[in-house]
Amino acid sequence: LRAGVVQDITARKLAEQAAARTTELLRRTGEMAKIGGWEVILADMRMVWSEQVYRIHEMEPGLPVSVEAAVMFYAPEVRTVVSAAARAAAEHGIPWDLELPLVTAKDRRIWVKTQGRALWEDGKITRVVGALQDISEKHASEEQLRLLETAISRLNDIVLITEAGSVDASGPRIVFVNDAFERQTGYSPAEALGQSP
């Protein structure tokens, strides 16, 4: 005589498949957005990084990283800012959202957006979790735009820029004028902005 138990595990298997799809979706979107997640478990100060955070740091995934080592990746001039933000979150639950320079394991200087916040359990902060995003391209574009605006502002000729795209019946609106506009017309930029040329 043989005996056995048969159990329907369809629901469990479907849940596992859904969780695997969600994990893969998060991995792919993290790659595209150059964003990853991390956490610090305060009981033993253990730091956990997602695969994308390792990529941003140009490190082999899975290598152990201490909180102190993670702070040392930031450019020397901002390490005290990062340390103070992390301490404020761990001790008082104060979140942070900063854009700072970071030096990767391959000694490449990049810009990152770092965010962190405390997680509470039974009235006590037990973990600090956050996100790290490589914003180097955005930062470079903003810097180029600042340089271009500075150069245009110093020109002796008037530069006037109007909005692109759809406009109302009165025509396009002025969105930028350089310093020469005020010198030559007597009108301030504030008086010109939003007007039709």
Side-chain angles (χ1 to χ4, degrees):
L1 182 70
R2 293 187 183 182
V5 176
V6 176
Q7 184 178 7
D8 185 355
I9 60 168
T10 304
R12 188 180 85 210
K13 286 295 183 185
L14 290 174
E16 288 172 358
Q17 290 171 354
R21 282 194 303 274
T22 299
T23 300
E24 180 63 12
L25 175 64
L26 289 172
R27 187 188 68 74
R28 288 179 188 265
T29 55
E31 279 179 17
M32 289 188 300
K34 297 182 181 179
I35 189 168
W38 56 266
E39 78 173 341
V40 176
I41 300 156
L42 297 176
D44 58 3
M45 294 303 287
R46 186 165 30 103
M47 177 155 251
V48 179
W49 282 0
S50 72
E51 186 177 319
Q52 190 59 32
V53 171
Y54 279 103
R55 282 192 181 143
I56 290 169
H57 285 81
E58 296 185 320
M59 288 178 64
E60 188 67 33
L63 290 175
V65 179
S66 68
V67 173
E68 295 79 17
V71 170
M72 294 304 288
F73 277 104
Y74 286 91
E77 66 271 19
V78 298
R79 288 178 189 153
T80 56
V81 173
V82 174
S83 294
R87 193 169 34 260
E91 294 174 4
H92 307 291
I94 301 169
W96 78 82
D97 186 341
L98 302 166
E99 293 186 4
L100 301 169
L102 181 139
V103 181
T104 71
K106 294 183 178 178
D107 207 30
R108 197 168 59 89
R109 190 177 176 102
I110 64 172
W111 278 84
V112 296
K113 179 180 180 77
T114 174
Q115 298 172 295
R117 70 180 180 99
L119 294 182
W120 301 73
E121 292 176 21
D122 299 323
K124 180 182 174 187
I125 300 171
T126 58
R127 292 181 293 154
V128 178
V129 299
L132 187 76
Q133 183 176 23
D134 182 346
I135 58 165
S136 300
E137 291 174 12
K138 172 186 168 271
H139 193 269
S141 296
E142 288 172 353
E143 182 61 26
Q144 289 173 348
L145 184 58
R146 278 192 294 273
L147 292 172
L148 182 60
E149 285 178 351
T150 300
I152 289 172
S153 291
R154 293 181 179 162
L155 292 174
N156 289 325
D157 295 328
I158 292 176
V159 175
L160 181 136
I161 300 174
T162 60
E163 63 190 345
S166 62
V167 294
D168 60 27
S170 62
R173 302 284 181 200
I174 297 171
V175 294
F176 174 86
V177 294
N178 66 345
D179 295 343
F181 178 85
E182 185 171 11
R183 287 193 306 268
Q184 294 184 32
T185 67
Y187 293 104
S188 72
E191 293 173 289
L193 295 179
Q195 301 298 317
S196 189

